[in-house]
Amino acid sequence: MEIPKQLIPLEDTPGEFVINVGPQHPSTHGVLHLRIKLDGEKILEIEPHLGYIHRGIEKISESLGYRQSIYLTSRMDYLSAHMNNQACSLLVEKGLQIEVPDRAKAIRILMVELQRLASHQLWWGSAGLDMGAVSPFFFAFREREQILEIFEETCGTRLTMNYITPGGVMNDLHPDFVKKVKALIKQFKVNIHEYDKLLTGNIIFQKRTQNVGFLPRDLAISLGASGPVARASGISCDIRKLHPYDGYEKLDFSEIVMDKGDSFTRYLVRIEEMKQSMHIIDQLIDNIPEGDYRARVKGIIRLPEGEYYQRVETARGELGVFVVSDGNKTPYRIKYRTPNFSNLGALQYIAKDSKIGDLVAIMATLDLIIPDIDR
Amino acid sequence: MKALFRYFSSIFSAFKSLWTGMRLTFYYLSHPKTILTQQYPENRKTLYIPEAFKGEVVLIHDENNEHGCTACRMCEMTCPNGTIKITSITEETEDGKKKKILDEWIYNLGMCTFCAQCIEACPQNAIKMQNTFEHSVYDRKELIKKLNHPGSKLKSTKKI
């Protein structure tokens, strides 16, 4: 791996051309700013500029308590809000050595897998939109809307939930939850074939993604890529399998690993992951254990002195939370290792020497969430 | 000859894949019953907002205009954004004891992130999240609300 030594100069040199994509550009997701050095249509170098949506979540968390700072993590990767809350809650539970009730664990997995479905659906719609297909967006939002309505009934909000708390979950399930989730899964098993008809089999989509944007296996390892991006390059990195949490070890599901490493493989990995998420929900929805939905935790949480690390698998990869505690009610230092930041690092190596038109297809399949990169 | 056949079959399969997608689009175009779009401002009367929806914080008042807030300020301390400001006055009861009584329960809706941690923290269960929405106003000052109704009193905790 060759690390670029100098930044792209501001002036154009003869034969080379520097353009800016973003921070407000319709084909970028959020406020990502890319400076691209071009030779004709060929990309020579890409330099991502960060910081447009930096809110200092890590620093704010140092002045808030452990319980208070969790709501901020929903605003990092807003499409994996449940997973982010879960990571922090698991860390606090690890520090205090609290046993979470079985019902809470089951509810957590159900919510997290529904969130993964919703996230991949939105990605599927926007991936089509990036490549000029408008109708997939409406098909994706049809299912996503139903999932968000289920969240709204139980958690009270649709996007930034703050539902998973240390010790369990915030509220018990809504009485209609099981019925609605069953109806949703039954419908989505039929509707996922429409996804194949619209986009997977489409010749324009295939030509734009197949054999475009290769990420080799060794490069993905050295860049720290994770989630579907790394799994499409043949790396087994599913935290749900490797370091199970919240009872994933009892469930039967398979990790999707594919070898080719191009944009179309990254697309296929996510489509297959949606089917696995449905399989997990199928196993749990009929056997949610009875009992408490939350263990008793003190109002003000003080973690014992020491260092803690917890990782979870979000919809985009591995999220790690690292906390140094000095025994007070606020963390001494908190650090989030976010999946999108590492995946963005892969962009400049993937897109090198490809055409500028392919950049949009590569970025669509990387599935970047910019607030998660900047935090 | 083989290359020519492959060339034409690739054109044919390309058209077939496009037709598969277009047929699905036309199916939904010709079946208006499958439309899920809600006409929001028009359907306001039949709109279903779940009971648990976090719209705004309210102080629960019963029919005698009594609330349960003892001004212990747990919610104010728990709130991560400084949304809640509680002022209390000290009153002397008949038997000479000094007692804190809620004066104003100020709630700044503009700063609230609807994390519902104040509701978790309240030991008296005096506040709750209401499922109201459409909170936009023309002046920012209108978002700062006084939640305790005028003339309201603390609910008597003595059992009769």
Side-chain angles (χ1 to χ4, degrees):
Chain A
M1 189 176 73
E2 193 190 328
I3 298 167
K5 289 193 183 67
Q6 59 178 38
L7 301 177
I8 296 176
L10 283 169
E11 309 86 44
D12 294 340
T13 42
E16 287 166 357
F17 188 56
V18 179
I19 64 160
N20 293 287
V21 174
Q24 279 99 27
H25 191 268
S27 73
T28 57
H29 300 229
V31 283
L32 181 64
H33 178 195
L34 298 172
R35 297 197 67 221
I36 305 168
K37 199 198 223 173
L38 294 170
D39 177 15
E41 264 193 277
K42 206 173 93 179
I43 295 170
L44 296 175
E45 251 180 286
I46 295 186
E47 184 186 294
H49 280 221
L50 308 178
Y52 288 96
I53 193 163
H54 178 73
R55 291 146 296 174
I57 286 181
E58 288 174 8
K59 198 70 189 168
I60 297 171
S61 303
E62 283 171 25
S63 59
L64 295 173
Y66 290 99
R67 201 186 277 277
Q68 276 80 32
S69 62
I70 289 178
Y71 90 97
L72 282 167
T73 61
S74 320
R75 278 129 182 111
M76 290 194 321
D77 184 353
Y78 46 84
L79 295 178
S80 320
H82 276 313
M83 290 86 144
N84 295 354
N85 296 343
Q86 194 188 17
C88 293
S89 305
L90 283 167
L91 182 125
V92 171
E93 283 150 19
K94 199 192 255 177
L96 297 176
Q97 292 172 347
I98 301 165
E99 188 59 38
V100 182
D102 285 344
R103 184 176 173 83
K105 283 184 180 176
I107 295 173
R108 278 181 181 187
I109 292 184
L110 278 171
M111 286 296 178
V112 161
E113 292 305 322
L114 282 173
Q115 177 88 80
R116 199 184 308 279
L117 269 181
S119 168
H120 283 344
Q121 279 158 0
L122 186 118
W123 158 80
W124 182 82
S126 67
L129 204 62
D130 281 350
M131 277 163 251
V134 180
S135 41
F137 198 67
F138 301 111
F139 285 81
F141 265 65
R142 179 183 56 185
E143 271 84 33
R144 185 169 180 268
E145 183 63 30
Q146 289 174 7
I147 295 179
L148 292 192
E149 271 170 16
I150 290 169
F151 284 158
E152 200 179 359
E153 269 189 340
T154 299
C155 314
T157 35
R158 294 158 62 90
L159 202 65
T160 51
M161 277 74 147
N162 191 31
Y163 180 63
I164 297 173
T165 55
V169 292
M170 209 101 164
N171 318 315
D172 209 351
L173 291 177
H174 192 266
D176 287 346
F177 179 81
V178 176
K179 196 177 78 188
K180 284 201 170 178
V181 171
K182 273 184 182 171
L184 167 89
I185 296 296
K186 195 182 168 193
Q187 185 62 40
F188 190 52
K189 274 179 183 166
V190 180
N191 287 354
I192 200 164
H193 297 301
E194 293 180 352
Y195 285 31
D196 291 342
K197 278 181 194 167
L198 272 173
L199 213 53
T200 318
N202 189 289
I203 186 76
I204 302 168
F205 181 75
Q206 283 185 357
K207 291 275 177 199
R208 289 203 64 180
T209 49
Q210 273 174 348
N211 302 322
V212 162
F214 278 104
L215 179 65
R217 186 171 190 272
D218 50 343
L219 190 59
I221 292 173
S222 42
L223 288 168
S226 58
V229 176
R231 262 170 264 151
S233 298
I235 304 165
S236 162
C237 64
D238 199 330
I239 308 299
R240 293 176 291 171
K241 278 276 185 205
L242 301 174
H243 304 278
Y245 49 91
D246 272 345
Y248 269 114
E249 63 274 9
K250 292 174 200 158
L251 295 165
D252 164 54
F253 66 100
S254 54
E255 184 184 355
I256 311 295
V257 181
M258 292 181 187
D259 290 329
K260 205 175 169 192
D262 64 344
S263 291
F264 193 65
T265 320
R266 288 195 280 276
Y267 171 88
L268 287 181
V269 166
R270 290 207 177 86
I271 293 280
E272 291 299 317
E273 262 187 24
M274 282 201 243
K275 290 172 187 166
Q276 288 301 321
S277 287
M278 282 194 283
H279 183 53
I280 293 174
I281 293 168
D282 271 345
Q283 291 169 53
L284 267 177
I285 192 70
D286 280 325
N287 344 307
I288 306 172
E290 292 296 315
D292 286 341
Y293 59 89
R294 184 162 48 172
R296 278 191 74 83
V297 185
K298 275 185 191 169
I300 294 169
I301 296 168
R302 284 169 207 272
L303 287 192
E305 214 174 308
E307 295 178 355
Y308 304 92
Y309 187 67
Q310 175 66 47
R311 44 188 181 178
V312 296
E313 180 79 16
T314 72
R316 275 159 203 80
E318 176 191 336
L319 173 79
V321 188
F322 179 66
V323 165
V324 181
S325 171
D326 54 356
N328 277 330
K329 57 183 180 181
T330 57
Y332 177 74
R333 174 80 171 94
I334 187 160
K335 158 85 185 144
Y336 295 106
R337 181 252 180 250
T338 51
N340 287 296
F341 186 76
S342 311
N343 291 352
L344 174 72
L347 178 69
Q348 51 188 318
Y349 297 97
I350 295 176
K352 205 173 180 180
D353 296 333
S354 57
K355 297 275 186 291
I356 189 159
D358 293 337
L359 179 74
V360 179
I362 293 165
M363 271 174 54
T365 51
L366 278 180
D367 193 15
L368 299 170
I369 297 286
I370 313 305
D372 196 34
I373 296 169
D374 277 345
R375 303 195 283 289
Chain B
M1 188 65 202
K2 221 171 200 179
L4 198 69
F5 178 72
R6 211 181 295 133
Y7 176 72
F8 279 110
S9 74
S10 73
I11 290 176
F12 179 74
S13 66
F15 272 111
K16 198 188 158 195
S17 80
L18 293 179
W19 169 245
T20 320
M22 286 309 281
R23 201 172 63 175
L24 191 70
T25 316
F26 282 126
Y27 171 80
Y28 281 103
L29 182 71
S30 57
H31 288 70
K33 274 186 183 173
T34 53
I35 292 174
L36 296 167
T37 316
Q38 294 185 12
Q39 303 294 332
Y40 160 58
E42 287 84 21
N43 73 345
R44 207 186 260 144
K45 275 174 189 161
T46 55
L47 203 63
Y48 167 61
I49 303 290
E51 197 58 38
F53 181 73
K54 294 174 194 166
E56 62 171 329
V57 176
V58 286
L59 192 64
I60 304 166
H61 286 76
D62 63 4
E63 65 275 7
N64 305 326
N65 203 10
E66 289 177 337
H67 58 77
C69 182
T70 55
C72 70
R73 311 182 117 188
M74 281 300 278
C75 46
E76 193 182 337
M77 281 189 281
T78 314
C79 182
N81 312 306
T83 309
I84 302 165
K85 291 273 176 298
I86 291 173
T87 49
S88 57
I89 42 172
T90 339
E91 259 185 19
E92 234 173 89
T93 47
E94 292 148 11
D95 45 337
K97 276 183 188 168
K98 280 186 178 171
K99 204 182 166 189
K100 251 201 224 170
I101 284 176
L102 176 76
D103 183 28
E104 274 182 333
W105 211 107
I106 305 292
Y107 170 58
N108 190 342
L109 183 62
M111 283 165 83
C112 187
T113 54
F114 311 104
C115 63
Q117 289 187 60
C118 45
I119 282 96
E120 295 280 304
C122 184
Q124 310 288 332
N125 294 327
I127 45 178
K128 68 165 185 179
M129 278 280 184
Q130 209 173 42
N131 64 348
T132 47
F133 62 113
E134 295 177 333
H135 290 308
S136 46
V137 285
Y138 283 103
D139 192 358
R140 198 185 296 171
K141 283 172 195 154
E142 289 171 47
L143 290 172
I144 303 170
K145 294 177 180 178
K146 186 184 161 189
L147 291 193
N148 50 332
H149 296 176
S152 61
K153 280 189 295 185
L154 178 65
K155 212 180 279 180
S156 75
T157 44
K158 283 174 196 165
K159 282 169 190 168
I160 305 159

